[in-house]
CSV table of all heavy atoms in Angstrom, one decimal:
chain,number,residue,atom,x,y,z
A,1,ILE,N,6.3,33.2,-33.1
A,1,ILE,CA,5.1,32.4,-32.8
A,1,ILE,C,4.7,31.6,-34.1
A,1,ILE,O,4.2,30.4,-34.0
A,1,ILE,CB,4.0,33.3,-32.3
A,1,ILE,CG1,4.4,33.9,-31.0
A,1,ILE,CG2,2.7,32.5,-32.2
A,1,ILE,CD1,3.4,34.8,-30.4
A,2,ARG,N,4.8,32.2,-35.2
A,2,ARG,CA,4.3,31.6,-36.4
A,2,ARG,C,5.0,32.2,-37.6
A,2,ARG,O,5.0,33.4,-37.8
A,2,ARG,CB,2.8,31.8,-36.6
A,2,ARG,CG,2.1,30.8,-37.5
A,2,ARG,CD,0.7,30.7,-37.3
A,2,ARG,NE,-0.2,31.7,-37.7
A,2,ARG,CZ,-0.8,32.6,-36.8
A,2,ARG,NH1,-0.6,32.4,-35.5
A,2,ARG,NH2,-1.5,33.6,-37.3
A,3,GLU,N,5.8,31.4,-38.4
A,3,GLU,CA,6.5,31.9,-39.5
A,3,GLU,C,5.7,31.8,-40.8
A,3,GLU,O,5.0,30.8,-41.0
A,3,GLU,CB,7.8,31.0,-39.6
A,3,GLU,CG,8.9,31.7,-40.5
A,3,GLU,CD,10.2,30.9,-40.4
A,3,GLU,OE1,10.7,30.7,-39.3
A,3,GLU,OE2,10.8,30.6,-41.5
A,4,GLY,N,5.9,32.8,-41.6
A,4,GLY,CA,5.2,32.7,-42.9
A,4,GLY,C,4.7,34.1,-43.3
A,4,GLY,O,4.8,35.1,-42.6
A,5,ASN,N,4.2,34.2,-44.6
A,5,ASN,CA,3.6,35.4,-45.2
A,5,ASN,C,2.2,35.4,-44.9
A,5,ASN,O,1.4,34.6,-45.5
A,5,ASN,CB,4.0,35.4,-46.7
A,5,ASN,CG,3.4,36.6,-47.4
A,5,ASN,OD1,2.5,37.3,-46.9
A,5,ASN,ND2,4.0,37.0,-48.5
A,6,PHE,N,1.8,36.4,-44.1
A,6,PHE,CA,0.3,36.5,-43.7
A,6,PHE,C,-0.3,37.8,-44.1
A,6,PHE,O,-1.2,38.3,-43.6
A,6,PHE,CB,0.2,36.3,-42.2
A,6,PHE,CG,0.8,35.1,-41.7
A,6,PHE,CD1,1.8,35.1,-40.7
A,6,PHE,CD2,0.2,33.9,-42.0
A,6,PHE,CE1,2.4,33.9,-40.3
A,6,PHE,CE2,0.8,32.7,-41.5
A,6,PHE,CZ,1.9,32.7,-40.7
A,7,ASP,N,0.3,38.4,-45.2
A,7,ASP,CA,-0.2,39.7,-45.6
A,7,ASP,C,-1.7,39.7,-45.9
A,7,ASP,O,-2.4,40.6,-45.5
A,7,ASP,CB,0.6,40.2,-46.9
A,7,ASP,CG,2.0,40.6,-46.7
A,7,ASP,OD1,2.4,40.6,-45.5
A,7,ASP,OD2,2.7,40.9,-47.7
A,8,GLU,N,-2.1,38.7,-46.7
A,8,GLU,CA,-3.5,38.6,-47.1
A,8,GLU,C,-4.4,38.4,-45.9
A,8,GLU,O,-5.5,39.0,-45.8
A,8,GLU,CB,-3.8,37.5,-48.1
A,8,GLU,CG,-3.1,37.7,-49.4
A,8,GLU,CD,-3.9,38.8,-50.3
A,8,GLU,OE1,-5.0,39.2,-49.9
A,8,GLU,OE2,-3.4,39.2,-51.3
A,9,GLU,N,-4.0,37.6,-44.9
A,9,GLU,CA,-4.8,37.3,-43.8
A,9,GLU,C,-4.9,38.6,-42.9
A,9,GLU,O,-6.0,38.9,-42.4
A,9,GLU,CB,-4.2,36.2,-42.9
A,9,GLU,CG,-5.0,35.7,-41.8
A,9,GLU,CD,-4.4,34.5,-41.1
A,9,GLU,OE1,-3.5,33.8,-41.7
A,9,GLU,OE2,-4.9,34.2,-40.0
A,10,ILE,N,-3.9,39.3,-42.8
A,10,ILE,CA,-3.9,40.6,-42.0
A,10,ILE,C,-4.8,41.6,-42.7
A,10,ILE,O,-5.5,42.4,-42.2
A,10,ILE,CB,-2.5,41.1,-41.7
A,10,ILE,CG1,-1.8,40.2,-40.7
A,10,ILE,CG2,-2.6,42.6,-41.2
A,10,ILE,CD1,-0.4,40.6,-40.4
A,11,ALA,N,-4.6,41.7,-44.1
A,11,ALA,CA,-5.5,42.6,-44.9
A,11,ALA,C,-6.9,42.4,-44.6
A,11,ALA,O,-7.7,43.3,-44.5
A,11,ALA,CB,-5.2,42.5,-46.3
A,12,ASN,N,-7.3,41.1,-44.5
A,12,ASN,CA,-8.7,40.8,-44.2
A,12,ASN,C,-9.2,41.2,-42.8
A,12,ASN,O,-10.4,41.3,-42.6
A,12,ASN,CB,-9.0,39.3,-44.4
A,12,ASN,CG,-8.9,38.9,-45.9
A,12,ASN,OD1,-9.2,39.7,-46.8
A,12,ASN,ND2,-8.5,37.7,-46.1
A,13,THR,N,-8.3,41.4,-41.9
A,13,THR,CA,-8.7,41.9,-40.5
A,13,THR,C,-8.9,43.4,-40.5
A,13,THR,O,-9.4,43.8,-39.5
A,13,THR,CB,-7.6,41.5,-39.5
A,13,THR,OG1,-6.4,42.3,-39.7
A,13,THR,CG2,-7.2,40.0,-39.6
A,14,LEU,N,-8.5,44.1,-41.5
A,14,LEU,CA,-8.6,45.6,-41.5
A,14,LEU,C,-9.8,46.0,-42.2
A,14,LEU,O,-10.3,45.3,-43.1
A,14,LEU,CB,-7.3,46.2,-42.1
A,14,LEU,CG,-6.0,45.8,-41.5
A,14,LEU,CD1,-4.8,46.4,-42.3
A,14,LEU,CD2,-5.9,46.2,-40.0
A,15,VAL,N,-10.3,47.2,-41.8
A,15,VAL,CA,-11.5,47.7,-42.5
A,15,VAL,C,-11.1,48.0,-44.0
A,15,VAL,O,-10.0,48.2,-44.3
A,15,VAL,CB,-12.1,49.0,-41.8
A,15,VAL,CG1,-12.6,48.7,-40.4
A,15,VAL,CG2,-11.0,50.1,-41.8
A,16,SER,N,-12.1,48.0,-44.8
A,16,SER,CA,-11.9,48.0,-46.3
A,16,SER,C,-11.0,49.1,-46.9
A,16,SER,O,-10.2,48.8,-47.7
A,16,SER,CB,-13.3,48.1,-47.0
A,16,SER,OG,-14.0,49.3,-46.7
A,17,PHE,N,-11.0,50.3,-46.3
A,17,PHE,CA,-10.2,51.3,-46.9
A,17,PHE,C,-8.8,51.3,-46.3
A,17,PHE,O,-8.0,52.1,-46.8
A,17,PHE,CB,-10.8,52.7,-46.7
A,17,PHE,CG,-10.9,53.1,-45.2
A,17,PHE,CD1,-9.9,53.9,-44.6
A,17,PHE,CD2,-12.0,52.8,-44.5
A,17,PHE,CE1,-10.0,54.3,-43.3
A,17,PHE,CE2,-12.1,53.2,-43.1
A,17,PHE,CZ,-11.1,53.9,-42.5
A,18,GLN,N,-8.5,50.4,-45.4
A,18,GLN,CA,-7.1,50.3,-44.9
A,18,GLN,C,-6.4,48.9,-45.1
A,18,GLN,O,-5.4,48.7,-44.6
A,18,GLN,CB,-7.1,50.6,-43.4
A,18,GLN,CG,-7.4,52.0,-43.0
A,18,GLN,CD,-7.2,52.4,-41.6
A,18,GLN,OE1,-7.6,51.7,-40.7
A,18,GLN,NE2,-6.5,53.5,-41.3
A,19,THR,N,-7.0,48.1,-46.0
A,19,THR,CA,-6.4,46.8,-46.2
A,19,THR,C,-5.0,46.9,-46.7
A,19,THR,O,-4.2,46.0,-46.5
A,19,THR,CB,-7.3,45.9,-47.1
A,19,THR,OG1,-7.4,46.7,-48.3
A,19,THR,CG2,-8.7,45.7,-46.5
A,20,HIS,N,-4.7,48.0,-47.5
A,20,HIS,CA,-3.4,48.2,-48.0
A,20,HIS,C,-2.3,48.3,-47.0
A,20,HIS,O,-1.1,48.0,-47.3
A,20,HIS,CB,-3.4,49.4,-48.9
A,20,HIS,CG,-3.5,50.7,-48.1
A,20,HIS,ND1,-2.5,51.5,-47.7
A,20,HIS,CD2,-4.7,51.3,-47.7
A,20,HIS,CE1,-2.9,52.5,-47.1
A,20,HIS,NE2,-4.2,52.4,-47.0
A,21,LEU,N,-2.6,48.6,-45.8
A,21,LEU,CA,-1.6,48.7,-44.8
A,21,LEU,C,-0.9,47.4,-44.5
A,21,LEU,O,0.3,47.4,-44.0
A,21,LEU,CB,-2.2,49.2,-43.4
A,21,LEU,CG,-2.8,50.6,-43.5
A,21,LEU,CD1,-3.5,51.0,-42.2
A,21,LEU,CD2,-1.8,51.6,-43.9
A,22,ALA,N,-1.6,46.3,-44.7
A,22,ALA,CA,-0.9,45.0,-44.6
A,22,ALA,C,0.2,44.8,-45.5
A,22,ALA,O,1.2,44.0,-45.2
A,22,ALA,CB,-1.9,43.9,-44.8
A,23,PHE,N,0.2,45.5,-46.7
A,23,PHE,CA,1.3,45.4,-47.7
A,23,PHE,C,2.2,46.5,-47.7
A,23,PHE,O,3.4,46.3,-48.1
A,23,PHE,CB,0.6,45.3,-49.1
A,23,PHE,CG,-0.5,44.2,-49.2
A,23,PHE,CD1,-1.8,44.6,-49.0
A,23,PHE,CD2,-0.2,42.9,-49.4
A,23,PHE,CE1,-2.8,43.6,-49.1
A,23,PHE,CE2,-1.1,41.9,-49.4
A,23,PHE,CZ,-2.5,42.3,-49.3
A,24,ASP,N,1.8,47.7,-47.2
A,24,ASP,CA,2.6,48.9,-47.4
A,24,ASP,C,3.3,49.3,-46.1
A,24,ASP,O,4.0,50.4,-46.1
A,24,ASP,CB,1.7,50.1,-47.8
A,24,ASP,CG,1.0,49.8,-49.2
A,24,ASP,OD1,1.5,49.0,-49.9
A,24,ASP,OD2,0.0,50.5,-49.5
A,25,THR,N,3.3,48.6,-45.1
A,25,THR,CA,4.0,48.9,-43.9
A,25,THR,C,5.2,47.9,-43.7
A,25,THR,O,5.1,46.8,-44.2
A,25,THR,CB,3.1,48.8,-42.6
A,25,THR,OG1,2.5,47.5,-42.6
A,25,THR,CG2,2.1,49.9,-42.6
A,26,SER,N,6.2,48.3,-42.9
A,26,SER,CA,7.3,47.5,-42.6
A,26,SER,C,7.0,46.4,-41.6
A,26,SER,O,7.5,45.3,-41.7
A,26,SER,CB,8.5,48.3,-42.1
A,26,SER,OG,8.8,49.3,-43.0
A,27,LEU,N,6.2,46.8,-40.6
A,27,LEU,CA,5.7,45.9,-39.6
A,27,LEU,C,4.4,46.4,-39.0
A,27,LEU,O,4.2,47.7,-39.0
A,27,LEU,CB,6.7,45.5,-38.5
A,27,LEU,CG,7.3,46.6,-37.7
A,27,LEU,CD1,6.5,46.8,-36.4
A,27,LEU,CD2,8.7,46.2,-37.2
A,28,ILE,N,3.6,45.5,-38.5
A,28,ILE,CA,2.4,46.0,-37.8
A,28,ILE,C,2.5,45.5,-36.4
A,28,ILE,O,2.7,44.3,-36.1
A,28,ILE,CB,1.1,45.4,-38.5
A,28,ILE,CG1,0.9,46.1,-39.8
A,28,ILE,CG2,-0.1,45.6,-37.6
A,28,ILE,CD1,-0.4,45.8,-40.6
A,29,LEU,N,2.4,46.4,-35.4
A,29,LEU,CA,2.4,46.1,-34.0
A,29,LEU,C,1.0,45.9,-33.5
A,29,LEU,O,0.0,46.7,-33.8
A,29,LEU,CB,3.1,47.2,-33.2
A,29,LEU,CG,4.6,47.3,-33.4
A,29,LEU,CD1,5.0,48.7,-33.3
A,29,LEU,CD2,5.2,46.5,-32.3
A,30,PHE,N,0.8,44.8,-32.7
A,30,PHE,CA,-0.5,44.6,-32.1
A,30,PHE,C,-0.4,44.7,-30.6
A,30,PHE,O,0.4,44.0,-29.9
A,30,PHE,CB,-1.0,43.1,-32.3
A,30,PHE,CG,-1.0,42.8,-33.8
A,30,PHE,CD1,0.1,42.3,-34.5
A,30,PHE,CD2,-2.2,42.9,-34.5
A,30,PHE,CE1,0.1,42.0,-35.8
A,30,PHE,CE2,-2.2,42.6,-35.9
A,30,PHE,CZ,-1.2,42.1,-36.5
A,31,ILE,N,-1.1,45.7,-30.0
A,31,ILE,CA,-1.1,45.9,-28.5
A,31,ILE,C,-2.3,45.2,-28.0
A,31,ILE,O,-3.5,45.5,-28.4
A,31,ILE,CB,-1.2,47.4,-28.2
A,31,ILE,CG1,0.0,48.1,-28.8
A,31,ILE,CG2,-1.2,47.6,-26.6
A,31,ILE,CD1,0.0,49.6,-28.6
A,32,THR,N,-2.1,44.2,-27.1
A,32,THR,CA,-3.2,43.4,-26.6
A,32,THR,C,-3.2,43.6,-25.0
A,32,THR,O,-2.3,44.0,-24.5
A,32,THR,CB,-3.1,41.9,-26.9
A,32,THR,OG1,-2.0,41.4,-26.2
A,32,THR,CG2,-2.9,41.7,-28.4
A,33,ALA,N,-4.4,43.3,-24.4
A,33,ALA,CA,-4.6,43.4,-23.0
A,33,ALA,C,-5.0,42.2,-22.4
A,33,ALA,O,-6.0,41.6,-22.8
A,33,ALA,CB,-5.5,44.6,-22.7
A,34,ALA,N,-4.3,41.7,-21.4
A,34,ALA,CA,-4.7,40.6,-20.5
A,34,ALA,C,-5.4,41.3,-19.3
A,34,ALA,O,-4.8,41.6,-18.3
A,34,ALA,CB,-3.6,39.8,-20.1
A,35,PHE,N,-6.7,41.5,-19.4
A,35,PHE,CA,-7.5,42.4,-18.6
A,35,PHE,C,-7.4,42.0,-17.1
A,35,PHE,O,-7.3,42.8,-16.2
A,35,PHE,CB,-8.9,42.5,-19.0
A,35,PHE,CG,-9.1,43.1,-20.4
A,35,PHE,CD1,-9.5,42.3,-21.4
A,35,PHE,CD2,-8.8,44.5,-20.5
A,35,PHE,CE1,-9.7,42.9,-22.7
A,35,PHE,CE2,-8.9,45.0,-21.8
A,35,PHE,CZ,-9.4,44.3,-22.9
A,36,ASN,N,-7.3,40.7,-16.8
A,36,ASN,CA,-7.4,40.2,-15.5
A,36,ASN,C,-6.2,40.8,-14.6
A,36,ASN,O,-6.2,40.9,-13.4
A,36,ASN,CB,-7.5,38.7,-15.4
A,36,ASN,CG,-7.8,38.2,-14.0
A,36,ASN,OD1,-8.6,38.8,-13.3
A,36,ASN,ND2,-7.0,37.2,-13.5
A,37,ARG,N,-5.0,41.0,-15.3
A,37,ARG,CA,-3.9,41.6,-14.6
A,37,ARG,C,-4.2,42.9,-13.9
A,37,ARG,O,-3.6,43.3,-12.9
A,37,ARG,CB,-2.7,41.7,-15.5
A,37,ARG,CG,-2.0,40.5,-16.0
A,37,ARG,CD,-0.8,40.8,-16.8
A,37,ARG,NE,-0.5,39.7,-17.7
A,37,ARG,CZ,0.2,39.8,-18.8
A,37,ARG,NH1,0.7,41.0,-19.2
A,37,ARG,NH2,0.4,38.8,-19.6
A,38,SER,N,-5.1,43.6,-14.4
A,38,SER,CA,-5.5,44.9,-13.9
A,38,SER,C,-6.9,44.8,-13.1
A,38,SER,O,-7.0,45.5,-12.1
A,38,SER,CB,-5.7,45.9,-15.0
A,38,SER,OG,-6.0,47.2,-14.5
A,39,THR,N,-7.9,44.1,-13.7
A,39,THR,CA,-9.2,44.1,-13.1
A,39,THR,C,-9.3,43.4,-11.8
A,39,THR,O,-10.2,43.6,-11.0
A,39,THR,CB,-10.2,43.6,-14.1
A,39,THR,OG1,-9.9,42.2,-14.4
A,39,THR,CG2,-10.3,44.4,-15.3
A,40,PHE,N,-8.4,42.4,-11.5
A,40,PHE,CA,-8.5,41.7,-10.2
A,40,PHE,C,-8.3,42.7,-9.0
A,40,PHE,O,-8.9,42.5,-8.0
A,40,PHE,CB,-7.4,40.6,-10.1
A,40,PHE,CG,-6.0,41.1,-9.7
A,40,PHE,CD1,-5.7,41.2,-8.3
A,40,PHE,CD2,-5.0,41.4,-10.5
A,40,PHE,CE1,-4.5,41.7,-7.8
A,40,PHE,CE2,-3.8,41.9,-10.1
A,40,PHE,CZ,-3.5,42.0,-8.8
A,41,LYS,N,-7.5,43.8,-9.3
A,41,LYS,CA,-7.3,44.8,-8.2
A,41,LYS,C,-8.3,46.0,-8.4
A,41,LYS,O,-8.9,46.4,-7.4
A,41,LYS,CB,-5.9,45.3,-8.3
A,41,LYS,CG,-5.6,46.4,-7.3
A,41,LYS,CD,-4.1,46.9,-7.3
A,41,LYS,CE,-3.9,47.9,-6.2
A,41,LYS,NZ,-2.5,48.4,-6.3
């Protein structure tokens, strides 16, 4: 979706004591929900 180094941007999305995870992990997975797929029923 978007190529580039976003370590700093991701670090800023994490709470203060976990910002290091943006640099110290191999990858970060984001689980998102498109709620309408479930709530319509």
Side-chain angles (χ1 to χ4, degrees):
I1 296 176
R2 200 158 71 252
E3 195 171 309
N5 180 335
F6 304 115
D7 288 358
E8 292 287 350
E9 190 172 344
I10 290 176
N12 288 333
T13 71
L14 305 176
V15 296
S16 59
F17 66 90
Q18 289 191 315
T19 56
H20 66 97
L21 297 178
F23 309 97
D24 296 341
T25 54
S26 303
L27 60 88
I28 291 183
L29 286 147
F30 304 87
I31 304 174
T32 69
F35 297 110
N36 191 45
R37 287 186 204 159
S38 183
T39 57
F40 85 86
K41 179 178 181 181

